């Protein structure tokens, strides 16, 4: 299934010199993970607090770009510089769902936007990530299948927030996009379960 996640290796190659510099300065993967989670929460609270002013939604796409970079950086520090840890695994998954929720929920505060699709997207984003995390429990890998993975959500929500900030998209558009994202998230959830089960069946038993 096509997903923006498939572009991650190229994105990582662009960031590799910066990652090396951060490692040389003593920065750890867990520090980057927590930083991304905290700033996402602060951005979400700031946007929610001024949701009546459309321009504030420009903060979401700007932060989404930086957040995607930080998410790539923490993974590279962990894998390529021997910083993988059990704590890091917990922080990575927990900070991601907290950040997602913090950046999705403010859309519900836009005048005229329905609460139901925004809440549904928030819940399905959590559920789809949980489905991906469950992969190792059945003998498969952590599943990142699309079509509405984390990177895809960041792109769609960033474009949507930009349209809101510029006054191009009103409440009706937000509702429509949210319902569409919810449907794609539901499919993503099912797809991750299916792909995890198929991967497990294809994995030969260990001697």
């Amino acid at each position: 299934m096509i997903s923006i996640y498939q572009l991650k290796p190229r994105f990582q190659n662009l960031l590799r010199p910066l990652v090396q510099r951060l490692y040389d300065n003593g920065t750890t993967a867990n520090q980057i993970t927590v930083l991304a989670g905290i700033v996402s929460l602060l951005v979400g609270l700031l946007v929610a607090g001024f949701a009546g002013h459309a321009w504030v939604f420009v903060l979401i796409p700007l932060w989404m770009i930086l957040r995607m970079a930080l998410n790539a950086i923490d993974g590279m520090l962990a894998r390529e510089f021997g910083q993988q840890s059990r704590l890091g695994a917990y922080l990575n998954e927990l900070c991601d769902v907290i950040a997602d929720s913090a950046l999705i929920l403010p859309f519900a505060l836009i005048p005229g936007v329905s609460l139901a699709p925004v809440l549904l997207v928030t819940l399905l984003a959590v559920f789809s990530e949980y489905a991906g995390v469950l992969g190792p429990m059945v003998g498969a890998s952590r599943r990142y299948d699309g079509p509405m993975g984390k990177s895809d959500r960041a792109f769609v929500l960033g474009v949507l927030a930009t349209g809101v900030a510029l006054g191009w998209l009103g409440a009706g558009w937000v509702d429509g996009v949210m319902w569409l994202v919810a449907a794609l998230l539901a499919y993503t959830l099912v797809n991750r379960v299916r792909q995890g089960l198929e991967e497990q069946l294809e994995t030969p038993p260990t001697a």
Side-chain angles (χ1 to χ4, degrees):
M1 182 62 64
I2 296 174
S3 171
I4 292 176
Y5 182 78
Q6 295 169 340
L7 300 176
K8 189 175 181 179
R10 295 182 183 180
F11 190 43
Q12 289 176 328
N13 288 336
L14 294 175
L15 294 172
R16 190 156 277 110
L18 174 60
V19 174
Q20 180 66 59
R21 194 172 308 142
L22 289 171
Y23 173 74
D24 292 340
N25 290 335
T27 304
T28 68
N30 288 351
Q31 289 172 343
I32 297 295
T33 301
V34 172
L35 174 65
I38 291 174
V39 177
S40 294
L41 186 58
L42 293 175
V43 170
L45 290 172
L46 181 60
V47 174
F50 294 92
H53 304 279
W55 60 266
V56 78
F57 279 84
V58 76
L59 295 176
I60 290 181
L62 294 177
W63 171 242
M64 286 291 193
I65 295 172
L66 291 174
R67 181 191 168 205
M68 289 174 66
L70 291 175
N71 284 340
I73 288 170
D74 70 0
M76 294 169 70
L77 283 170
R79 289 188 303 272
E80 299 178 13
F81 294 91
Q83 295 184 1
Q84 289 179 313
S85 66
R86 292 182 176 88
L87 175 60
Y90 275 107
L91 289 175
N92 188 58
E93 299 296 344
L94 289 172
C95 287
D96 272 349
V97 295
I98 291 170
D100 270 356
S101 299
L103 296 171
I104 295 170
L105 288 172
F107 284 93
L109 299 176
I110 297 173
V113 169
S114 300
L115 178 61
V118 179
L119 285 180
L120 188 59
V121 167
T122 304
L123 289 173
L124 286 172
V126 174
F127 296 159
S128 64
E129 292 308 309
Y130 188 56
V133 171
L134 286 174
M137 292 186 65
V138 299
S141 61
R142 203 295 191 191
R143 303 303 310 181
Y144 294 98
D145 309 276
M148 192 50 64
K150 180 172 63 177
S151 300
D152 307 293
R153 291 195 301 275
F155 176 77
V156 172
L157 293 174
V159 171
L160 181 61
T162 300
V164 170
L166 295 175
W168 295 348
L169 303 178
W173 272 97
V174 175
D175 285 347
V177 171
M178 287 294 175
W179 283 118
L180 176 60
V181 171
L184 291 173
L185 278 168
Y187 183 79
T188 298
L189 193 161
V190 173
N191 193 35
R192 290 183 175 184
V193 173
R194 184 175 65 244
Q195 295 296 337
L197 292 174
E198 289 181 1
E199 180 187 352
Q200 189 274 331
L201 291 173
E202 293 171 0
T203 303
T206 57

